[in-house]
């Protein structure tokens, strides 16, 4: 059966076609597979490269380098905490009262380096889990105590250069396949997962984002080869807002990956790596 791959979910594609805002449209294109690098001694880091594609055909490159997960040596998989307390869910920002009965983790940290093409600077994202809560700080220096430019309140709220930003996921789609007959020929249409996101600032400005996938060849077959996001910046918006939105977008993605890794970290440390080969696809360094 002939296959046709689409870059965005079906409903998202209809919304993109009908979009008529007076906007500067910039596409963020990210490769699917990160590259392992060893430029910091023997500790491997993961580098993901991407491009900003502008309407006039010009391109700018960017990169995100994620370091290893560092954690204290006193972690004990046989020690459980059963205390009740108030916790904040870093993904949705909600305050919860919960009775914890999980293996105790202490001081898990991870750093990422994000090159921002909107100002040509490298930012450092510092994620930390202290056993109870998660934080993420953004700095222009390698040390977490250096010149801070912002932080994430939770995954969808940020303060960057003194401006408050909020991210809302208004639509979310799963990947689907649809078989249709066109001109007597059967065609399988494949749509990737994706989302419709709005980022707003404290002055009422709104930036719309559609998330999808890039398409290409893999082992000679049509395949989804990476990630693609079309970003609509209202025309005339300042370059500082574009810089901040880029920072917020990737800091949010990094924080969600960090939360996911924390959730499965006890299993990754306790069981055979072969059992969790895909899930535990990150480096762990005990301090």
């Amino acid at each position: 059966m002939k296959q046709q791959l689409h870059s965005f979910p079906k409903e998202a594609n209809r919304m993109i076609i009908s979009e008529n805002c007076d906007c500067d449209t910039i596409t963020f294109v990210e490769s699917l597979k990160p590259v392992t690098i060893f430029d910091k001694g023997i500790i491997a880091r993961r580098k993901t490269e991407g491009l900003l594609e502008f309407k006039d055909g010009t391109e700018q490159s960017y990169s995100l380098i994620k370091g290893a997960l560092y954690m204290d040596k006193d972690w004990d998989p046989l020690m459980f905490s059963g205390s009740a307390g108030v916790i904040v869910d870093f993904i949705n920002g909600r305050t919860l009262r919960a009775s914890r009965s999980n293996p105790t983790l202490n001081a898990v940290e991870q750093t990422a380096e994000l090159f921002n093409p909107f100002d040509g600077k490298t930012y450092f994202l510092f994620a930390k889990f202290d056993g109870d809560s998660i934080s993420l700080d953004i700095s222009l220096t390698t040390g977490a105590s250096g010149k801070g430019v912002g932080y994430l309140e939770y995954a969808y709220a940020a303060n960057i250069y003194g401006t408050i930003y909020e991210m809302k996921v208004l639509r979310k789609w799963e990947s689907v396949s649809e078989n249709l007959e066109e001109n007597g020929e059967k065609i399988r249409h494949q749509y990737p997962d994706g989302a419709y996101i709005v980022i707003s600032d404290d002055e009422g400005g709104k930036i719309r984002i559609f998330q999808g996938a890039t398409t290409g060849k893999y082992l000679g077959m049509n395949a989804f080869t990476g990630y693609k996001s079309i970003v609509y910046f209202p025309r005339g918006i300042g370059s500082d807002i574009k810089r901040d939105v880029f920072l917020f977008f990737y800091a949010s993605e990094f924080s969600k990956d960090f939360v996911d890794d924390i959730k499965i970290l006890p299993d990754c440390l306790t069981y055979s790596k072969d059992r969790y080969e895909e899930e535990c696809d990150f480096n762990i360094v005990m301090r």
Side-chain angles (χ1 to χ4, degrees), residues 43-103:
I43 305 300
R45 300 189 298 158
R46 309 294 293 277
K47 181 178 183 180
T48 301
E49 296 181 316
L51 289 173
L52 299 186
E53 296 179 346
F54 298 85
K55 264 186 174 181
D56 62 5
T58 58
E59 297 178 342
Q60 285 182 284
S61 60
Y62 68 90
S63 62
L64 175 69
I65 303 175
K66 293 172 63 174
L69 285 171
Y70 287 83
M71 66 178 299
D72 287 354
K73 289 182 179 179
D74 63 354
W75 180 79
D76 186 351
L78 300 180
M79 184 182 297
F80 289 81
S81 88
S83 61
V86 175
I87 61 172
V88 176
D89 189 321
F90 194 77
I91 296 298
N92 58 36
R94 294 190 186 122
T95 300
L96 307 172
R97 188 164 187 85
S99 175
R100 292 170 295 159
S101 181
N102 304 304

Short mmCIF file of all heavy atoms in Angstrom, two decimals, residues 43-103:
data_model
loop_
_atom_site.label_atom_id
_atom_site.label_comp_id
_atom_site.label_asym_id
_atom_site.label_seq_id
_atom_site.Cartn_x
_atom_site.Cartn_y
_atom_site.Cartn_z
N ILE A 43 32.84 11.56 30.84
CA ILE A 43 31.40 11.59 31.05
C ILE A 43 30.71 11.97 29.74
O ILE A 43 30.93 13.04 29.20
CB ILE A 43 31.00 12.58 32.15
CG1 ILE A 43 31.77 12.27 33.45
CG2 ILE A 43 29.52 12.56 32.39
CD1 ILE A 43 31.50 10.89 33.99
N ALA A 44 29.88 11.07 29.26
CA ALA A 44 29.19 11.30 27.99
C ALA A 44 28.06 12.31 28.17
O ALA A 44 27.39 12.34 29.20
CB ALA A 44 28.65 9.99 27.44
N ARG A 45 27.88 13.13 27.15
CA ARG A 45 26.75 14.05 27.10
C ARG A 45 26.02 13.82 25.78
O ARG A 45 26.56 13.23 24.85
CB ARG A 45 27.21 15.50 27.22
CG ARG A 45 27.96 15.77 28.52
CD ARG A 45 28.22 17.26 28.71
NE ARG A 45 29.04 17.82 27.66
CZ ARG A 45 29.06 19.12 27.34
NH1 ARG A 45 28.27 19.96 27.97
NH2 ARG A 45 29.85 19.57 26.39
N ARG A 46 24.77 14.28 25.71
CA ARG A 46 23.95 14.05 24.52
C ARG A 46 23.64 15.39 23.85
O ARG A 46 23.07 16.27 24.48
CB ARG A 46 22.65 13.34 24.89
CG ARG A 46 22.84 12.07 25.73
CD ARG A 46 23.54 10.96 24.97
NE ARG A 46 22.75 10.46 23.88
CZ ARG A 46 21.80 9.54 24.02
NH1 ARG A 46 21.52 9.04 25.21
NH2 ARG A 46 21.13 9.13 22.97
N LYS A 47 24.04 15.51 22.58
CA LYS A 47 23.85 16.76 21.85
C LYS A 47 22.80 16.58 20.77
O LYS A 47 22.89 15.70 19.93
CB LYS A 47 25.17 17.20 21.21
CG LYS A 47 25.07 18.51 20.44
CD LYS A 47 26.42 18.93 19.88
CE LYS A 47 26.35 20.27 19.16
NZ LYS A 47 27.67 20.68 18.62
N THR A 48 21.79 17.45 20.81
CA THR A 48 20.75 17.47 19.79
C THR A 48 20.89 18.77 19.01
O THR A 48 20.99 19.85 19.61
CB THR A 48 19.36 17.40 20.42
OG1 THR A 48 19.23 16.20 21.18
CG2 THR A 48 18.28 17.41 19.34
N GLU A 49 20.92 18.67 17.70
CA GLU A 49 21.08 19.85 16.86
C GLU A 49 19.79 20.16 16.14
O GLU A 49 18.97 19.27 15.89
CB GLU A 49 22.22 19.63 15.85
CG GLU A 49 23.58 19.45 16.52
CD GLU A 49 24.70 19.27 15.51
OE1 GLU A 49 24.50 18.49 14.55
OE2 GLU A 49 25.76 19.89 15.67
N GLY A 50 19.61 21.43 15.81
CA GLY A 50 18.40 21.84 15.13
C GLY A 50 18.62 23.08 14.29
O GLY A 50 19.72 23.65 14.25
N LEU A 51 17.57 23.49 13.60
CA LEU A 51 17.61 24.66 12.74
C LEU A 51 16.38 25.54 12.97
O LEU A 51 15.29 25.03 13.26
CB LEU A 51 17.62 24.25 11.26
CG LEU A 51 18.88 23.61 10.68
CD1 LEU A 51 18.59 23.13 9.26
CD2 LEU A 51 20.05 24.59 10.68
N LEU A 52 16.57 26.82 12.84
CA LEU A 52 15.46 27.75 12.71
C LEU A 52 15.32 28.06 11.23
O LEU A 52 16.29 28.48 10.58
CB LEU A 52 15.71 29.05 13.47
CG LEU A 52 15.90 28.98 14.98
CD1 LEU A 52 15.98 30.38 15.54
CD2 LEU A 52 14.79 28.20 15.65
N GLU A 53 14.14 27.83 10.69
CA GLU A 53 13.90 28.11 9.27
C GLU A 53 12.96 29.31 9.17
O GLU A 53 11.87 29.31 9.73
CB GLU A 53 13.29 26.90 8.58
CG GLU A 53 14.21 25.69 8.57
CD GLU A 53 13.58 24.47 7.90
OE1 GLU A 53 12.35 24.48 7.69
OE2 GLU A 53 14.30 23.51 7.61
N PHE A 54 13.39 30.34 8.43
CA PHE A 54 12.62 31.55 8.28
C PHE A 54 11.88 31.56 6.95
O PHE A 54 12.23 30.81 6.02
CB PHE A 54 13.53 32.78 8.40
CG PHE A 54 14.20 32.89 9.74
CD1 PHE A 54 15.39 32.22 10.01
CD2 PHE A 54 13.64 33.65 10.75
CE1 PHE A 54 16.01 32.32 11.24
CE2 PHE A 54 14.25 33.76 11.99
CZ PHE A 54 15.44 33.09 12.24
N LYS A 55 10.86 32.42 6.85
CA LYS A 55 10.04 32.47 5.64
C LYS A 55 10.84 32.79 4.38
O LYS A 55 10.51 32.34 3.29
CB LYS A 55 8.93 33.52 5.81
CG LYS A 55 7.60 32.95 6.28
CD LYS A 55 6.54 34.03 6.27
CE LYS A 55 5.18 33.43 6.59
NZ LYS A 55 4.11 34.47 6.56
N ASP A 56 11.92 33.58 4.54
CA ASP A 56 12.70 33.98 3.37
C ASP A 56 13.72 32.91 2.95
O ASP A 56 14.51 33.14 2.04
CB ASP A 56 13.41 35.30 3.63
CG ASP A 56 14.41 35.21 4.80
OD1 ASP A 56 14.61 34.10 5.33
OD2 ASP A 56 14.99 36.25 5.17
N GLY A 57 13.68 31.75 3.61
CA GLY A 57 14.56 30.65 3.24
C GLY A 57 15.87 30.60 4.01
O GLY A 57 16.62 29.63 3.88
N THR A 58 16.17 31.61 4.81
CA THR A 58 17.40 31.59 5.60
C THR A 58 17.25 30.64 6.78
O THR A 58 16.13 30.33 7.22
CB THR A 58 17.76 33.00 6.10
OG1 THR A 58 16.66 33.50 6.90
CG2 THR A 58 18.02 33.93 4.94
N GLU A 59 18.38 30.20 7.30
CA GLU A 59 18.40 29.25 8.41
C GLU A 59 19.42 29.68 9.46
O GLU A 59 20.42 30.32 9.14
CB GLU A 59 18.75 27.85 7.92
CG GLU A 59 17.76 27.23 6.93
CD GLU A 59 18.18 25.87 6.44
OE1 GLU A 59 19.39 25.52 6.58
OE2 GLU A 59 17.33 25.15 5.91
N GLN A 60 19.15 29.31 10.70
CA GLN A 60 20.09 29.50 11.79
C GLN A 60 20.12 28.21 12.61
O GLN A 60 19.07 27.60 12.86
CB GLN A 60 19.69 30.67 12.68
CG GLN A 60 19.96 32.04 12.08
CD GLN A 60 19.58 33.15 13.05
OE1 GLN A 60 18.41 33.46 13.24
NE2 GLN A 60 20.58 33.75 13.66
N SER A 61 21.30 27.80 13.02
CA SER A 61 21.42 26.55 13.78
C SER A 61 21.34 26.81 15.28
O SER A 61 21.62 27.91 15.76
CB SER A 61 22.74 25.85 13.45
OG SER A 61 23.84 26.67 13.79
N TYR A 62 20.94 25.79 16.00
CA TYR A 62 20.95 25.84 17.46
C TYR A 62 21.27 24.44 17.97
O TYR A 62 21.30 23.46 17.21
CB TYR A 62 19.63 26.34 18.02
CG TYR A 62 18.44 25.41 17.83
CD1 TYR A 62 18.11 24.44 18.78
CD2 TYR A 62 17.64 25.49 16.70
CE1 TYR A 62 17.03 23.61 18.61
CE2 TYR A 62 16.55 24.66 16.52
CZ TYR A 62 16.25 23.71 17.47
OH TYR A 62 15.18 22.88 17.29
N SER A 63 21.54 24.31 19.26
CA SER A 63 21.86 23.00 19.82
C SER A 63 21.48 22.96 21.30
O SER A 63 21.43 23.99 21.98
CB SER A 63 23.35 22.69 19.67
OG SER A 63 24.14 23.63 20.38
N LEU A 64 21.21 21.75 21.76
CA LEU A 64 20.94 21.49 23.17
C LEU A 64 21.81 20.32 23.60
O LEU A 64 21.73 19.24 23.00
CB LEU A 64 19.46 21.16 23.40
CG LEU A 64 19.07 20.77 24.83
CD1 LEU A 64 19.19 21.96 25.77
CD2 LEU A 64 17.64 20.21 24.88
N ILE A 65 22.65 20.53 24.59
CA ILE A 65 23.54 19.47 25.09
C ILE A 65 23.13 19.12 26.51
O ILE A 65 23.20 19.96 27.40
CB ILE A 65 25.02 19.91 25.05
CG1 ILE A 65 25.43 20.33 23.64
CG2 ILE A 65 25.92 18.77 25.54
CD1 ILE A 65 26.83 20.89 23.55
N LYS A 66 22.69 17.89 26.70
CA LYS A 66 22.25 17.43 28.03
C LYS A 66 23.35 16.64 28.70
O LYS A 66 23.90 15.70 28.12
CB LYS A 66 20.99 16.57 27.90
CG LYS A 66 19.78 17.33 27.42
CD LYS A 66 18.61 16.42 27.11
CE LYS A 66 18.11 15.68 28.32
NZ LYS A 66 16.88 14.92 28.03
N GLY A 67 23.67 17.02 29.93
CA GLY A 67 24.67 16.31 30.70
C GLY A 67 24.10 15.09 31.39
O GLY A 67 22.92 14.75 31.24
N ALA A 68 24.93 14.43 32.15
CA ALA A 68 24.52 13.23 32.89
C ALA A 68 23.65 13.61 34.08
O ALA A 68 23.60 14.76 34.51
CB ALA A 68 25.75 12.46 33.36
N LEU A 69 22.93 12.62 34.61
CA LEU A 69 22.21 12.79 35.86
C LEU A 69 23.18 12.51 37.01
O LEU A 69 23.75 11.41 37.10
CB LEU A 69 21.04 11.81 35.95
CG LEU A 69 19.80 12.10 35.10
CD1 LEU A 69 18.86 10.90 35.15
CD2 LEU A 69 19.08 13.34 35.57
N TYR A 70 23.41 13.50 37.86
CA TYR A 70 24.28 13.34 39.01
C TYR A 70 23.43 13.14 40.25
O TYR A 70 22.47 13.87 40.48
CB TYR A 70 25.16 14.58 39.21
CG TYR A 70 26.27 14.70 38.18
CD1 TYR A 70 26.03 15.26 36.93
CD2 TYR A 70 27.56 14.25 38.46
CE1 TYR A 70 27.04 15.37 35.98
CE2 TYR A 70 28.58 14.35 37.53
CZ TYR A 70 28.32 14.92 36.29
OH TYR A 70 29.32 15.01 35.36
N MET A 71 23.80 12.15 41.07
CA MET A 71 23.04 11.94 42.30
C MET A 71 23.96 11.50 43.43
O MET A 71 25.07 10.99 43.20
CB MET A 71 21.93 10.91 42.08
CG MET A 71 22.37 9.51 41.77
SD MET A 71 20.94 8.42 41.61
CE MET A 71 20.22 8.54 43.24
N ASP A 72 23.51 11.73 44.67
CA ASP A 72 24.30 11.41 45.84
C ASP A 72 24.48 9.91 46.00
O ASP A 72 23.59 9.12 45.68
CB ASP A 72 23.64 11.97 47.10
CG ASP A 72 23.77 13.48 47.17
OD1 ASP A 72 24.46 14.04 46.31
OD2 ASP A 72 23.17 14.09 48.08
N LYS A 73 25.63 9.52 46.54
CA LYS A 73 25.94 8.10 46.71
C LYS A 73 25.12 7.44 47.81
O LYS A 73 25.06 6.22 47.88
CB LYS A 73 27.43 7.93 47.02
CG LYS A 73 28.34 8.20 45.84
CD LYS A 73 29.79 7.97 46.22
CE LYS A 73 30.71 8.22 45.03
NZ LYS A 73 32.14 8.03 45.37
N ASP A 74 24.53 8.26 48.69
CA ASP A 74 23.82 7.66 49.83
C ASP A 74 22.41 7.19 49.47
O ASP A 74 21.63 6.85 50.35
CB ASP A 74 23.76 8.63 51.00
CG ASP A 74 22.98 9.90 50.68
OD1 ASP A 74 22.58 10.06 49.51
OD2 ASP A 74 22.77 10.72 51.58
N TRP A 75 22.09 7.16 48.18
CA TRP A 75 20.78 6.63 47.79
C TRP A 75 20.70 5.16 48.15
O TRP A 75 21.59 4.38 47.88
CB TRP A 75 20.55 6.80 46.29
CG TRP A 75 19.21 6.27 45.86
CD1 TRP A 75 18.01 6.89 45.99
CD2 TRP A 75 18.94 5.02 45.23
NE1 TRP A 75 17.01 6.12 45.49
CE2 TRP A 75 17.55 4.96 45.02
CE3 TRP A 75 19.72 3.95 44.83
CZ2 TRP A 75 16.93 3.88 44.43
CZ3 TRP A 75 19.12 2.86 44.24
CH2 TRP A 75 17.73 2.83 44.04
N ASP A 76 19.60 4.76 48.80
CA ASP A 76 19.42 3.38 49.24
C ASP A 76 18.09 2.86 48.71
O ASP A 76 17.03 3.30 49.14
CB ASP A 76 19.43 3.30 50.77
CG ASP A 76 19.39 1.86 51.26
OD1 ASP A 76 19.18 0.95 50.44
OD2 ASP A 76 19.55 1.64 52.47
N PRO A 77 18.13 1.93 47.73
CA PRO A 77 16.87 1.44 47.16
C PRO A 77 16.01 0.67 48.15
O PRO A 77 14.85 0.40 47.89
CB PRO A 77 17.34 0.54 46.01
CG PRO A 77 18.71 0.12 46.40
CD PRO A 77 19.30 1.28 47.13
N LEU A 78 16.56 0.31 49.31
CA LEU A 78 15.79 -0.44 50.30
C LEU A 78 15.19 0.49 51.37
O LEU A 78 14.47 0.04 52.24
CB LEU A 78 16.69 -1.49 50.98
CG LEU A 78 17.28 -2.53 50.05
CD1 LEU A 78 18.15 -3.51 50.83
CD2 LEU A 78 16.20 -3.29 49.29
N MET A 79 15.52 1.78 51.28
CA MET A 79 15.00 2.72 52.27
C MET A 79 13.79 3.45 51.68
O MET A 79 13.89 4.07 50.63
CB MET A 79 16.09 3.74 52.64
CG MET A 79 15.67 4.71 53.74
SD MET A 79 16.99 5.91 54.08
CE MET A 79 18.27 4.81 54.66
N PHE A 80 12.67 3.35 52.35
CA PHE A 80 11.45 3.97 51.85
C PHE A 80 11.00 5.09 52.78
O PHE A 80 11.19 5.02 53.98
CB PHE A 80 10.33 2.93 51.72
CG PHE A 80 10.53 1.97 50.60
CD1 PHE A 80 11.38 0.88 50.75
CD2 PHE A 80 9.90 2.15 49.38
CE1 PHE A 80 11.56 -0.01 49.71
CE2 PHE A 80 10.09 1.26 48.34
CZ PHE A 80 10.92 0.17 48.50
N SER A 81 10.40 6.12 52.20
CA SER A 81 9.83 7.19 53.01
C SER A 81 8.32 7.06 52.96
O SER A 81 7.74 6.94 51.89
CB SER A 81 10.28 8.56 52.49
OG SER A 81 9.42 9.01 51.50
N GLY A 82 7.69 7.09 54.12
CA GLY A 82 6.24 6.96 54.16
C GLY A 82 5.57 8.16 54.77
O GLY A 82 4.47 8.07 55.28
N SER A 83 6.26 9.29 54.75
CA SER A 83 5.71 10.49 55.38
C SER A 83 4.64 11.13 54.50
O SER A 83 4.64 10.98 53.30
CB SER A 83 6.83 11.50 55.65
OG SER A 83 7.42 11.89 54.42
N ALA A 84 3.76 11.85 55.16
CA ALA A 84 2.73 12.60 54.43
C ALA A 84 3.14 14.05 54.41
O ALA A 84 3.69 14.58 55.37
CB ALA A 84 1.39 12.43 55.11
N GLY A 85 2.87 14.72 53.32
CA GLY A 85 3.26 16.13 53.23
C GLY A 85 2.67 16.77 52.00
O GLY A 85 1.97 16.15 51.21
N VAL A 86 2.96 18.07 51.84
CA VAL A 86 2.49 18.83 50.70
C VAL A 86 3.59 18.86 49.65
O VAL A 86 4.73 19.18 49.95
CB VAL A 86 2.10 20.26 51.11
CG1 VAL A 86 1.74 21.08 49.89
CG2 VAL A 86 0.95 20.23 52.09
N ILE A 87 3.26 18.50 48.43
CA ILE A 87 4.22 18.53 47.34
C ILE A 87 3.62 19.32 46.18
O ILE A 87 2.42 19.51 46.10
CB ILE A 87 4.60 17.11 46.85
CG1 ILE A 87 3.35 16.38 46.33
CG2 ILE A 87 5.27 16.31 47.96
CD1 ILE A 87 3.66 15.05 45.66
N VAL A 88 4.50 19.82 45.30
CA VAL A 88 4.06 20.55 44.12
C VAL A 88 4.42 19.72 42.89
O VAL A 88 5.56 19.32 42.72
CB VAL A 88 4.72 21.93 44.03
CG1 VAL A 88 4.34 22.63 42.73
CG2 VAL A 88 4.33 22.79 45.22
N ASP A 89 3.42 19.43 42.07
CA ASP A 89 3.64 18.70 40.84
C ASP A 89 4.30 19.64 39.84
O ASP A 89 3.71 20.63 39.43
CB ASP A 89 2.30 18.19 40.28
CG ASP A 89 2.47 17.24 39.10
OD1 ASP A 89 3.37 17.49 38.27
OD2 ASP A 89 1.72 16.27 39.01
N PHE A 90 5.55 19.34 39.44
CA PHE A 90 6.29 20.26 38.60
C PHE A 90 5.73 20.34 37.18
O PHE A 90 5.95 21.32 36.48
CB PHE A 90 7.77 19.84 38.53
CG PHE A 90 8.67 20.91 37.97
CD1 PHE A 90 9.05 21.98 38.76
CD2 PHE A 90 9.13 20.86 36.66
CE1 PHE A 90 9.87 22.98 38.25
CE2 PHE A 90 9.94 21.85 36.14
CZ PHE A 90 10.32 22.92 36.95
N ILE A 91 4.99 19.33 36.75
CA ILE A 91 4.43 19.36 35.40
C ILE A 91 3.25 20.31 35.30
O ILE A 91 3.15 21.12 34.39
CB ILE A 91 4.02 17.94 34.94
CG1 ILE A 91 5.27 17.04 34.84
CG2 ILE A 91 3.32 18.00 33.59
CD1 ILE A 91 6.29 17.50 33.83
N ASN A 92 2.31 20.23 36.25
CA ASN A 92 1.12 21.08 36.13
C ASN A 92 1.04 22.19 37.19
O ASN A 92 0.12 23.01 37.15
CB ASN A 92 -0.16 20.23 36.17
CG ASN A 92 -0.27 19.41 37.45
OD1 ASN A 92 0.11 19.84 38.52
ND2 ASN A 92 -0.82 18.21 37.33
N GLY A 93 2.00 22.21 38.12
CA GLY A 93 2.03 23.28 39.11
C GLY A 93 1.04 23.14 40.23
O GLY A 93 0.97 24.01 41.10
N ARG A 94 0.28 22.05 40.27
CA ARG A 94 -0.74 21.89 41.31
C ARG A 94 -0.09 21.48 42.64
O ARG A 94 0.87 20.72 42.67
CB ARG A 94 -1.76 20.83 40.90
CG ARG A 94 -2.60 21.23 39.69
CD ARG A 94 -3.74 20.25 39.48
NE ARG A 94 -4.45 20.54 38.25
CZ ARG A 94 -4.61 19.69 37.26
NH1 ARG A 94 -4.11 18.48 37.35
NH2 ARG A 94 -5.26 20.03 36.17
N THR A 95 -0.68 21.97 43.72
CA THR A 95 -0.24 21.59 45.06
C THR A 95 -1.04 20.38 45.51
O THR A 95 -2.27 20.39 45.47
CB THR A 95 -0.42 22.75 46.05
OG1 THR A 95 0.35 23.86 45.60
CG2 THR A 95 0.04 22.36 47.44
N LEU A 96 -0.35 19.34 45.94
CA LEU A 96 -1.00 18.10 46.33
C LEU A 96 -0.59 17.72 47.74
O LEU A 96 0.52 18.00 48.17
CB LEU A 96 -0.61 16.97 45.36
CG LEU A 96 -0.81 17.21 43.86
CD1 LEU A 96 -0.18 16.07 43.08
CD2 LEU A 96 -2.29 17.31 43.53
N ARG A 97 -1.51 17.08 48.44
CA ARG A 97 -1.16 16.48 49.74
C ARG A 97 -1.10 14.99 49.53
O ARG A 97 -2.06 14.37 49.08
CB ARG A 97 -2.20 16.84 50.80
CG ARG A 97 -1.78 16.41 52.19
CD ARG A 97 -2.60 17.09 53.28
NE ARG A 97 -2.06 16.80 54.60
CZ ARG A 97 -1.08 17.47 55.17
NH1 ARG A 97 -0.54 18.47 54.53
NH2 ARG A 97 -0.64 17.16 56.37
N ALA A 98 0.05 14.42 49.78
CA ALA A 98 0.24 13.02 49.41
C ALA A 98 1.02 12.27 50.48
O ALA A 98 1.82 12.85 51.23
CB ALA A 98 0.99 12.93 48.08
N SER A 99 0.74 10.99 50.57
CA SER A 99 1.51 10.10 51.41
C SER A 99 2.53 9.40 50.52
O SER A 99 2.16 8.67 49.61
CB SER A 99 0.60 9.07 52.09
OG SER A 99 1.37 8.14 52.81
N ARG A 100 3.80 9.67 50.77
CA ARG A 100 4.83 9.13 49.89
C ARG A 100 5.30 7.77 50.37
O ARG A 100 5.60 7.59 51.55
CB ARG A 100 6.01 10.11 49.81
CG ARG A 100 5.66 11.41 49.08
CD ARG A 100 6.77 12.42 49.25
NE ARG A 100 6.89 12.79 50.66
CZ ARG A 100 7.99 13.32 51.19
NH1 ARG A 100 9.04 13.52 50.45
NH2 ARG A 100 8.02 13.65 52.47
N SER A 101 5.40 6.84 49.48
CA SER A 101 5.90 5.51 49.79
C SER A 101 6.78 5.06 48.64
O SER A 101 6.49 4.10 47.94
CB SER A 101 4.73 4.53 49.99
OG SER A 101 5.23 3.26 50.33
N ASN A 102 7.84 5.81 48.43
CA ASN A 102 8.73 5.56 47.29
C ASN A 102 10.16 5.43 47.77
O ASN A 102 10.53 5.92 48.83
CB ASN A 102 8.65 6.72 46.29
CG ASN A 102 7.24 6.98 45.82
OD1 ASN A 102 6.60 6.09 45.31
ND2 ASN A 102 6.77 8.20 46.02
N PRO A 103 11.02 4.78 46.96
CA PRO A 103 12.44 4.75 47.30
C PRO A 103 12.98 6.18 47.43
O PRO A 103 12.60 7.06 46.67
CB PRO A 103 13.08 4.02 46.12
CG PRO A 103 11.97 3.22 45.53
CD PRO A 103 10.73 4.03 45.74
#
